[in-house]
Amino acid sequence: MIPRKAFMQIATVTGVDQYIVVDHMGQIIAHDIKDPERSAGMVFACGRNAYAIGKTRLKYVLFPRENQKNFFIFPVGNYYLGVVKEHSIDNSVLTDNIMTFLTGLLKVRPQ
């Protein structure tokens, strides 16, 4: 199990404006997002359904927004990470930054 404090470090990743982490039951583990209850339900439902389609090949789901603050959902073990992108950063830069963060997070988690 990944500690809550480890997830909270996602806020320091370049390009992350807001984030939320939910578990496999839709419960909020950590967040720095407006309207966390509503966001948790969306991240959980979208993440679970996208995973059902993509299984282990799913890296992330992207929801583009007109204001360029696109919304991403990443599967992380038994969790889903929802991220609102800063409008001034490119999608590919953000996803690379997050994938690097998640790879490090999964490598150091206690067994």
Side-chain angles (χ1 to χ4, degrees):
M1 177 165 248
I2 301 169
R4 182 175 184 257
K5 282 189 174 190
F7 274 123
M8 294 172 69
Q9 294 302 310
I10 191 70
T12 65
V13 173
T14 301
V16 173
D17 183 40
Q18 300 175 54
Y19 75 90
I20 185 166
V21 180
V22 298
D23 67 12
H24 67 282
M25 300 296 288
Q27 299 299 310
I28 299 170
I29 302 302
H31 78 87
D32 180 15
I33 196 166
K34 298 173 185 140
D35 200 359
E37 296 300 324
R38 183 173 148 221
S39 297
M42 189 226 14
V43 168
F44 175 68
C46 292
R48 184 181 60 186
N49 289 325
Y51 181 79
I53 295 167
K55 302 285 183 206
T56 58
R57 302 184 111 188
L58 177 67
K59 292 186 180 181
Y60 63 88
V61 177
L62 164 64
F63 295 93
R65 298 163 81 189
E66 285 185 29
N67 65 2
Q68 301 303 307
K69 289 185 153 204
N70 300 336
F71 197 94
F72 294 79
I73 299 174
F74 298 83
V76 186
N78 290 330
Y79 304 97
Y80 296 107
L81 167 65
V83 173
V84 176
K85 176 185 84 77
E86 290 179 348
H87 73 279
S88 61
I89 194 164
D90 186 76
N91 287 343
S92 62
V93 172
L94 176 71
T95 56
D96 287 348
N97 292 347
I98 291 177
M99 296 306 281
T100 299
F101 170 80
L102 293 177
T103 299
L105 186 69
L106 292 172
K107 283 182 181 179
V108 298
R109 73 178 181 189
Q111 298 297 326

